[in-house]
Amino acid sequence: MDSRMNAWTWGLLVLLGLIWGGSFFFARIAVQHVPPLTLVFFRLLLAALALHVYIAGRFDFYAILKARWREFLILGLINNALPHALIFFGQTRIGAGLAAILNATTPIWTVLIANYFTSDEKLSPAKIAGCLVGLVGTIVLIGPGMSAGGEAPLWALLLPVLAAICYGFAATYGKRFKNVPAPVTAAGQLTASSLIALPLSLADRPWTLAAPPLDAFLAILALALLSTAFGYILYFRIMASAGATNASLVTLLVPPSAILLGVLFLGERLALGEFAGMALIGIGLVILDGRAYRMLARAA
């Protein structure tokens, strides 16, 4: 498999960054009108249905789903239902850009978790340095929330970080699906997480809620169909043509996309300290990725 990034693949990667950055933008709109747990359910259900249509009987999907339903439930919980709920609750008090920056710490937690639970992904000096820089950036971002004068409460800042930790566990656990076709893994986890989210959403008593306005309704559709269902398909397309390492570069593109959408359409602004935190997390991710160091080493 050719793992090089050509112009077409870079274009797909930038598009995916916009789409996944858009998920924080759409969520910020929708969560103002729909309770977080209900929003999680509709996002997962609509995305799952869309992927069922996309698969349309291919890959022996239902046989795999029946045989591995327990594993799909675990993956759906830690990769969809729980982190989505954490992010949506956080976004009731913080903007799209800040939530995306905090959630961009996912690769840092993934490295730390994989070091503990796997035997083939141990920490190296570069990984340790990347994690430390990224964690300092996270502290810079959540620091103001520890004081009474912070604009956002500490709990709202911590929830996207907890979601990132969930994604880190999911990335490690998801390795057991490496021999399963990627669309099957996506549809299987979304199907399972929809079942998990259904009873949780009943806590919101959704039958008593007023119908959301048009902008929130469209945001829910975009969140489910564009950012989730199509986003997964696009991600797996990039991973198949350029490899998982190159596909992971999307992590660097999501926060700027969410920030741009928040500034243009929601009137959001980031403080200087938040830009500093974002820069530190970005530097940490670049160090973790390692390709910049390898390019400099080859040039030398």
Side-chain angles (χ1 to χ4, degrees), residues 124-134 252 280-294:
S124 64
K127 287 182 177 180
I128 293 173
C131 288
L132 289 175
V133 173
L252 298 172
L280 286 169
I281 291 173
I283 292 170
L285 296 179
V286 170
I287 295 172
L288 280 177
D289 178 62
R291 75 187 65 204
Y293 173 79
R294 291 192 295 270

Side-chain angles (χ1 to χ4, degrees), residues 61-286:
F61 170 57
Y62 294 105
I64 297 174
L65 186 62
K66 181 180 179 181
R68 307 187 66 169
W69 64 270
R70 293 178 182 84
E71 294 170 289
F72 280 124
L73 278 173
I74 294 173
L75 186 62
L77 174 65
I78 61 178
N79 201 39
N80 296 134
L82 182 55
H84 290 350
L86 291 169
I87 292 170
F88 292 165
F89 273 110
Q91 284 200 261
T92 61
R93 298 296 300 274
I94 63 176
L98 183 53
I101 295 169
L102 291 166
N103 196 240
T105 58
T106 294
I108 297 167
W109 302 111
T110 302
V111 166
L112 295 174
I113 292 166
N115 175 73
Y116 185 82
F117 287 102
T118 67
S119 58
D120 59 341
E121 291 194 38
K122 296 302 181 182
L123 286 172
S124 64
K127 287 182 177 180
I128 293 173
C131 288
L132 289 175
V133 173
L135 291 175
V136 169
T138 306
I139 293 170
V140 169
L141 285 173
I142 67 175
M146 297 180 182
S147 65
E151 291 186 6
L154 179 60
W155 64 263
L157 296 169
L158 288 175
L159 290 184
V161 178
L162 292 175
I165 295 173
C166 288
Y167 288 136
F169 278 106
T172 301
Y173 183 81
K175 290 183 178 181
R176 65 185 58 206
F177 293 92
K178 64 181 180 181
N179 295 322
V180 178
V184 171
T185 301
Q189 68 172 356
L190 286 169
T191 301
S193 56
S194 299
L195 296 176
I196 295 170
L198 174 58
L200 297 178
S201 69
L202 298 180
D204 291 331
R205 303 179 66 199
W207 58 88
T208 67
L209 302 174
L214 180 60
D215 60 340
F217 178 76
L218 294 176
I220 294 171
L221 287 180
L223 188 62
L225 302 180
L226 180 63
S227 297
T228 307
F230 181 65
Y232 269 123
I233 294 171
L234 195 59
Y235 175 74
F236 292 135
R237 173 77 176 272
I238 296 169
M239 192 161 57
S241 61
T245 300
N246 286 321
S248 69
L249 287 173
V250 72
T251 309
L252 298 172
L253 302 176
V254 171
S257 302
I259 292 168
L260 179 62
L261 290 169
V263 168
L264 291 178
F265 299 105
L266 300 177
E268 295 179 0
R269 295 291 185 272
L270 290 182
L272 182 60
E274 292 168 340
F275 277 111
M278 179 177 69
L280 286 169
I281 291 173
I283 292 170
L285 296 179
V286 170

